[in-house]
Amino acid sequence: MEKSVQTAIILISESSLPIARNISRELAESAIYLKGEAEGCETITSYSGFMKEHFSDFKAIVFIGALGICVRSIASCIRNKYADPAVINVDSTGRFVISVLSGHIGGGNELTRIVAGITGGEAIVTTQSDNQQLWALDTFTSRYGWKTSATPASMNQAIFQFVNKHKTALLLSVKDKGTDELEQSCPEHTDIYYRLEEIPLAEYQLLITVGPWEYDAPIPTLQFYPPVLHIGVGCKKECSPQGVCIYMKDELLRHHLSPLAVKSISTIELKKDEPLIAELHTQFSNSELHIYKAEELADISVPNPSEKVKEVTGVDGVAESSAIRASDYGRLLMEKQKGILSEGNNFTFAVALSADSDRNNGHIEIVGAGPGDPELISVRGKRMLEKADLILYAGSLVPRELTYYAKPGATVRSSADMTLEEQFTLMKSFYDKGLFVVRLHTGDPCIYGAIAEQMAFFDQYGMRYHITPGISSFQAAAAALKSQFTIPEEVQSIILTRGEGRTPMPEKEKLHLLARSQSTMCIYLSAAIVEQVQEELLQAYSPETPVAACYKLTWKEEKIYRGKLKDLAQIVRDNHLTLTTLLVVGNAIDHREGLSRLYADEFKHLFRP
């Protein structure tokens, strides 16, 4: 058996070999095993014997045949859901795909759905949480990268209460992609809180927590710890590491912080070879190690500066500054702690919370709205709008219908009549309250989105932001024109540009120079100067070159006018096209001649019945 094989496909009858081959093609690192000989299959002598020898060698096992044979073959091999591979069973026709073993932790339920998609069959999952569309609590660690101190028994107790819909409180003290997902999919019997003191615990039968803090609650509690803590360390030269890690973990617990939530160990370059740093990196399993140069820490203000440390290292405090730097300038949860477990072995450490996980911090999401149709915003963009406390959208460039995704109570404002200063003031007022702001731009915000000046402002004030890309109007134009903007061996480039109006163009990017490439050109923001645009393009393109003037792509008011380059200005003027018009020029428009290499003669056998 090859070591690279991750999924074993056990074929009971050779008549189902086509199904097995289809599954194997779709599942990477898989192999087919059969009692007999067939091309592309590994021969085995006994199903149960093969399982006894190799059961633990695979991440997943797919039986194709009778369910009884599957069960009898694996029965003696089963240990527990934390160690067993995923096992699924497919009937000989591919009509039914059944999750048999390790449905959650082993991924059997997910594999069942994948294989059912391959065979066109029905996925049969009997796990109660899946059937009731409830969270699989025992997958949170693998799914979200969290840790838990729960024992198998306490995990099972929590799962029993949760799937039986006992009233549950969910405490989300930090935020990340996992908590975002939980907020979006919260079941009816679960209430979300962000502070423990807000929870009337007597009203609940189960508490689930997500965060670095340890809680002692009077009801059954299941705690998950995302990696959000950053430990900064300073020490004397050749400081003995003996006992320090245990001491630090005890101090974390004394401050009600879990060692399982530690993401990184950090220090200054001067201390990078200290035995203590290496030991801590090892003992805090899966932790990152950050070593910073003195200049990277020098400007960080710390609450407990030391003149002596400054003299030796050039920074006000190694532990606090490196913790703050590693957390991306998050807040300190533990200021500098001094320790000395044996004479001459002084050390300090501090703990900071990842800034992007801190619910006390505001956040700005710059979202690309897409070309206009509310259904063409990305799934992430829609989700950002749904959680926003403030939506500031780009006036007449973005259909107001996109803001209808806003949650009740959200503030929705147009920036059309605002100065930049007014926009910044409004966003910062929400940000400073720890609220979530969406700055909604048309298309993709990185293409003529005027976001650079906004990001400069955010950077200046240390405001955290992220960009969610959107579908640009040039992509919507290709779809609306039913055109592939690249032609094999003829046009392999798409130029996104604009004509020279009030905003000067760099000399090397003049339209007539770009037009020499004969690429497909998508020209933004230029309907008002269309005569100039046409004149420049005609210096390189043929007058008969296809063009399209695309007005408000994907909006209800969408209009598309096709023609020849020689008539472009007339098309725009006769139809009174102004803002939100994209001009497309090039032979790729409506091109249908020629074949890509995929359709050349040597590949035609792939498409023959």
Side-chain angles (χ1 to χ4, degrees), residues 53-171:
E53 185 176 356
H54 297 292
F55 186 72
S56 299
D57 295 336
F58 302 110
K59 289 186 176 180
I61 300 170
V62 179
F63 274 86
I64 303 178
L67 178 60
I69 296 176
C70 167
V71 172
R72 287 192 294 273
S73 298
I74 66 173
S76 64
C77 307
I78 297 174
R79 291 169 294 172
N80 60 70
K81 65 181 181 180
Y82 299 100
D84 295 332
V87 179
I88 71 172
N89 190 86
V90 185
D91 77 289
S92 59
T93 68
R95 182 179 175 187
F96 299 109
V97 183
I98 305 171
S99 180
V100 178
L101 191 68
S102 290
H104 282 158
I105 295 178
N109 294 348
E110 181 181 4
L111 182 61
T112 296
R113 297 184 181 96
I114 292 172
V115 172
I118 296 169
T119 67
E122 179 182 353
I124 300 175
V125 176
T126 59
T127 312
Q128 186 175 359
S129 59
D130 286 79
N131 290 334
Q132 296 185 35
Q133 295 185 325
L134 298 175
W135 299 324
L137 301 179
D138 51 0
T139 68
F140 281 10
T141 54
S142 59
R143 183 168 185 169
Y144 301 130
W146 301 341
K147 293 182 180 179
T148 182
S149 57
T151 63
S154 61
M155 175 65 76
N156 288 337
Q157 180 191 19
I159 292 172
F160 174 82
Q161 292 179 303
F162 186 72
V163 299
N164 283 287
K165 298 187 177 180
H166 293 177
K167 197 170 182 185
T168 300
L170 173 64
L171 174 59

Side-chain angles (χ1 to χ4, degrees), residues 535-552:
E535 181 183 349
E536 286 204 63
L537 294 177
L538 283 171
Q539 295 181 42
Y541 287 101
S542 162
E544 300 299 313
T545 303
V547 297
C550 307
Y551 175 73
K552 288 195 172 183

Side-chain angles (χ1 to χ4, degrees), residues 376-422:
L376 287 179
I377 193 170
S378 68
V379 173
R380 176 182 170 84
K382 176 177 176 288
R383 185 160 54 84
M384 296 298 101
L385 289 172
E386 290 172 338
K387 69 182 289 187
D389 299 297
L390 166 67
I391 298 173
L392 183 61
Y393 71 104
S396 60
L397 299 177
V398 174
R400 187 172 178 84
E401 287 83 352
L402 276 157
T403 68
Y404 294 169
Y405 291 126
K407 66 184 180 182
T411 299
V412 179
R413 296 281 304 277
S414 168
S415 62
D417 296 323
M418 291 184 180
T419 65
L420 283 176
E421 290 74 16
E422 289 171 334

Side-chain angles (χ1 to χ4, degrees), residues 431 457-464:
Y431 182 95
F457 176 88
F458 301 150
D459 291 339
Q460 178 184 351
Y461 287 92
M463 299 166 70
R464 305 189 62 77

Side-chain angles (χ1 to χ4, degrees), residues 523-599:
I523 306 171
Y524 291 75
L525 307 169
S526 301
I529 53 170
V530 66
E531 287 87 0
Q532 175 188 326
V533 168
Q534 177 179 299
E535 181 183 349
E536 286 204 63
L537 294 177
L538 283 171
Q539 295 181 42
Y541 287 101
S542 162
E544 300 299 313
T545 303
V547 297
C550 307
Y551 175 73
K552 288 195 172 183
L553 285 158
T554 78
W555 293 46
K556 295 175 183 177
E557 304 92 332
E558 175 186 279
K559 292 179 182 179
I560 295 177
Y561 302 92
R562 287 174 163 86
K564 304 296 184 182
L565 177 56
K566 63 182 181 180
D567 302 316
L568 178 60
Q570 183 178 349
I571 291 171
V572 171
R573 295 304 180 207
D574 287 353
N575 293 287
H576 310 289
L577 304 182
T578 53
L579 293 175
T580 63
T581 298
L582 178 70
L583 306 177
V584 184
V585 181
N587 290 320
I589 297 174
D590 292 328
H591 183 88
R592 295 292 187 274
E593 298 175 6
L595 295 172
S596 72
R597 191 169 183 275
L598 174 63
Y599 298 99

Side-chain angles (χ1 to χ4, degrees), residues 323-481:
I324 291 170
R325 182 69 175 79
S327 66
D328 198 12
Y329 300 91
R331 62 186 169 104
L332 289 172
L333 300 182
M334 292 175 60
E335 294 184 4
K336 181 168 67 176
Q337 309 289 307
K338 296 181 179 180
I340 177 168
L341 303 186
S342 57
E343 187 175 350
N345 292 308
N346 302 51
F347 62 91
T348 60
F349 70 100
V351 181
L353 177 67
S354 292
D356 59 2
S357 71
D358 194 343
R359 289 196 176 273
N360 290 346
N361 289 346
H363 179 78
I364 294 176
E365 191 74 17
I366 301 171
V367 175
D373 186 339
E375 292 187 344
L376 287 179
I377 193 170
S378 68
V379 173
R380 176 182 170 84
K382 176 177 176 288
R383 185 160 54 84
M384 296 298 101
L385 289 172
E386 290 172 338
K387 69 182 289 187
D389 299 297
L390 166 67
I391 298 173
L392 183 61
Y393 71 104
S396 60
L397 299 177
V398 174
R400 187 172 178 84
E401 287 83 352
L402 276 157
T403 68
Y404 294 169
Y405 291 126
K407 66 184 180 182
T411 299
V412 179
R413 296 281 304 277
S414 168
S415 62
D417 296 323
M418 291 184 180
T419 65
L420 283 176
E421 290 74 16
E422 289 171 334
Q423 295 172 33
F424 296 149
T425 298
L426 177 61
M427 288 188 285
K428 194 171 188 303
S429 68
F430 277 76
Y431 182 95
D432 288 345
K433 296 174 185 176
L435 298 176
F436 192 91
V437 177
V438 166
R439 180 67 173 109
L440 188 61
H441 281 264
T442 183
D444 183 277
C446 298
I447 301 176
Y448 301 114
I451 63 172
E453 55 199 356
Q454 297 176 62
M455 293 189 293
F457 176 88
F458 301 150
D459 291 339
Q460 178 184 351
Y461 287 92
M463 299 166 70
R464 305 189 62 77
Y465 62 93
H466 178 267
I467 301 172
T468 294
I471 296 174
S472 175
S473 55
F474 86 89
Q475 296 164 297
L481 294 170

Side-chain angles (χ1 to χ4, degrees), residues 263-280:
K263 182 175 184 177
S264 75
I265 304 296
S266 59
T267 192
I268 197 168
E269 191 172 33
L270 182 65
K271 302 296 180 181
K272 67 178 182 178
D273 296 322
E274 288 291 337
L276 175 59
I277 303 303
E279 177 71 10
L280 292 174

